[in-house]
Amino acid sequence: MNQTIHRIGMINPVTDDEAARLARPETLDDLGWQISATPVTPGPRRGRSRARILTGRDARRRLLLGVPMAAALGIAVAVAIVGRPASTPPAGTPQALSFTTNAGGGITVIVRDPLADPAVYRAEFATHHLDITLLLRPVSPSLVGTVFYMSGPSTGPQIVPITAKGKCEVPSGGNDCPVGVKIPAGFRGQAEVDFGRAARPGEKYVSTGSAFARGEAMHGMNIKGETVAQVLSQLRARHLTVADFNKVESSGDENVRQVPGGWYVYDAVPWAPGQVMLFVGATATEPSTAAPQPAQGAPAPSPTG
Amino acid sequence: MAAGDERQGRFEALYEAHHGPVLGYVLRRTENPEDAADVMAETFLTSWRRLEEVPPGPEARLWLYGVARRVLANHHRGQRRRSALADRLRGELAVGYRPPEYTGEMARIAAAFRRLPAEQRELLALNAWEGLDYGQIAVVLGCSRNAVRIRLHRARQRFARELDGHQPGLTLSLNSPTNGANA
């Protein structure tokens, strides 16, 4: 177990066994019995959200994305909400988003200011009674121009991105790019849509594709079976640096800043512009990592009574 | 056996096997044990209503953690719902449980942990407190195993920074000797 996990284990407030002993068995049994005596008809599922993390090929395949970061950042978000009228912004007020009512009663929302504070987007969505968060976040090159994260209600109609060909060029290839999202009639609840944008120098990626994908820093490199020294040499030729090493051991991963050059590289991930992170270990074959044992934590808390 | 009895039996087995881990999961993430009782009740109420979606075997625990996580998130957003089902449990937990207060090194660790973004706290807690491996965490969070691994790396880095109270300033000089590669 690595040191971080060990330390956090030390502050484990209560173990499962301790938790189960905090209530009388008959109380816990009674709760289970009462629950199973309730009607099965589902109640309203307000507030629950479903989140999807979308990465790499999976994201492109399922979402056909590659936002037209129209000229890097000009995002068009088409929001179709049948039956909800759009309000007219006050004349002369600069808008980060523009809302247009469609013939079918939906609303098309265009991002006018792609560099606006997300709070501004939220406020403008809120004026249309929409609880939608729109974020532009730094991602590795192969994810630039994609929607890499979406969340929404667990039930009911879901937001679906819409795409258009030729609206942009995605670093990883292709030109089928999202022009926004559709929110179908009956959509209720909260939603978040995260668009990937190019990172600024020194800015860490919040989501990454494969380091070897087209457009990524290590595209075309082969590190299979290579030592740290050999990979560093390859990286140097590309003017890349290693931000950090992830040491892989059977007892768990650990962050390390210095490793022997004779160790082996198992994998690499993009970290920031010009930087990658390497998964490394002492053996030629990557060890399988076991789950840590649940921590016992602090001594059992004493009752307050 | 009637379908209703079969359903009831399946729920009872689920509850019996997992009420301890779920109560532990919730208590570890709430300051107020009364909230823990409500979240526990709502989590199992959800599992009762959506019993057909609960995976069999050990994955059921991960599914329950995922539900509890969402219920907790709603509580933290202020969408608290007092459940009459939880009245007795709420009373017993209020009397019997008080989150530990740490001193010295453990207080320093706890403070650094609290300063982490919620997403990173959850990743580290699932690993350290629930003892889940990367694949299991991926099931709870609904993302890939590789994404968990990368995010855990970032979380460990951030935790170390919070604990040390300074930026690590990691830069790798590729001109340095590679038999002791610096990062």
Side-chain angles (χ1 to χ4, degrees), chain A residues 27-28 236 240 246 255 257, chain B residues 15 92 153 156 174 178 183:
Chain A
T27 299
L28 290 165
R236 189 183 300 121
L240 297 171
N246 189 102
N255 301 23
R257 300 183 190 184
Chain B
Y15 186 82
E92 291 185 19
H153 185 98
R156 289 193 300 267
L174 291 173
T178 52

Side-chain angles (χ1 to χ4, degrees), chain B residues 24 36 47 51 69 96 99 104 147 150:
Chain B
S47 73
L51 198 56
R69 180 171 163 264
I150 297 165

Side-chain angles (χ1 to χ4, degrees), chain A residues 205-256:
Chain A
Y205 303 133
V206 299
S207 186
T208 56
S210 164
F212 310 98
R214 192 166 151 191
E216 296 284 358
M218 296 176 72
H219 178 59
M221 280 178 64
N222 182 12
I223 60 166
K224 193 172 182 181
E226 299 279 290
T227 64
V228 169
Q230 289 167 329
V231 172
L232 288 178
S233 174
Q234 290 191 60
L235 294 176
R236 189 183 300 121
R238 292 192 181 201
H239 306 289
L240 297 171
T241 59
V242 176
D244 206 6
F245 291 101
N246 189 102
K247 184 176 76 171
V248 182
E249 289 183 327
S250 57
S251 57
D253 290 3
E254 189 157 8
N255 301 23
V256 291

Side-chain angles (χ1 to χ4, degrees), chain A residues 1-17 19-20 22-53 55 137 154 190 204-208 228-229 232-233 235-236 239-248 252-262 267 269-271 275 277-279 286-287 289-295 297-299 301-305, chain B residues 7-8 11-12 15-16 19-25 27-29 37 40-42 44-46 48-50 52-53 61 65 67 70-71 74 77 79 81 84-86 88-89 92-100 102 105-110 113 116 119 124-134 136 141-147 149-161 163-164 166-176 178-183:
Chain A
M1 185 186 300
N2 75 60
Q3 197 175 36
T4 299
I5 298 305
H6 173 72
R7 282 176 163 150
I8 292 169
M10 287 166 58
I11 57 164
N12 182 10
V14 59
T15 67
D16 291 349
D17 288 345
L22 290 168
R24 291 180 299 162
E26 53 267 37
T27 299
L28 290 165
D29 289 348
D30 183 59
L31 174 60
W33 182 85
Q34 284 193 68
I35 287 171
S36 65
T38 60
V40 176
T41 310
R45 291 177 177 175
R46 289 172 298 151
R48 289 195 201 104
S49 64
R50 183 177 69 175
R52 286 174 74 191
I53 308 293
T55 56
R137 310 188 74 190
S154 60
Q190 299 174 320
K204 279 185 200 169
Y205 303 133
V206 299
S207 186
T208 56
V228 169
L232 288 178
S233 174
L235 294 176
R236 189 183 300 121
H239 306 289
L240 297 171
T241 59
V242 176
D244 206 6
F245 291 101
N246 189 102
K247 184 176 76 171
V248 182
D253 290 3
E254 189 157 8
N255 301 23
V256 291
R257 300 183 190 184
Q258 188 167 325
V259 296
D267 201 358
V269 295
W271 189 260
Q275 287 191 311
M277 187 263 278
L278 299 180
F279 287 85
E286 181 176 354
T289 306
Q293 292 300 307
S302 57
T304 55
Chain B
R7 198 173 193 284
Q8 177 102 20
F11 176 78
E12 286 175 3
Y15 186 82
E16 176 63 26
H19 72 263
V22 171
L23 181 58
Y25 174 93
L27 274 172
R28 288 190 280 274
R29 288 159 176 80
M40 163 95 166
E42 192 168 340
F44 276 104
L45 189 59
T46 300
W48 167 243
R49 288 172 171 164
R50 297 165 60 188
E52 292 69 24
E53 299 173 32
R61 179 169 65 117
Y65 284 160
V67 173
R70 288 190 286 276
V71 175
N74 291 339
R77 279 198 292 264
Q79 298 172 12
R81 281 195 278 176
L85 297 170
R88 282 176 63 186
L89 180 61
E92 291 185 19
L93 292 181
V95 171
Y97 180 70
R98 183 177 56 196
Y102 299 113
E105 177 64 8
M106 285 171 68
R108 204 169 71 85
I109 292 169
F113 184 66
L116 297 177
E119 183 196 336
L124 291 168
L126 285 168
N127 198 211
W129 292 349
E130 276 75 38
L132 302 189
D133 64 25
Y134 305 139
Q136 291 170 318
L141 301 182
C143 61
S144 73
R145 182 182 183 278
N146 204 36
R149 213 168 177 192
I150 297 165
R151 286 189 224 162
L152 265 170
H153 185 98
R154 293 192 190 116
R156 289 193 300 267
Q157 190 186 59
R158 174 75 180 264
F159 176 75
R161 198 164 70 215
L163 202 59
D164 293 345
H166 64 80
Q167 297 274 343
L170 294 175
T171 51
L172 172 65
S173 167
L174 291 173
N175 295 323
S176 61
T178 52
N179 59 353
N182 298 311

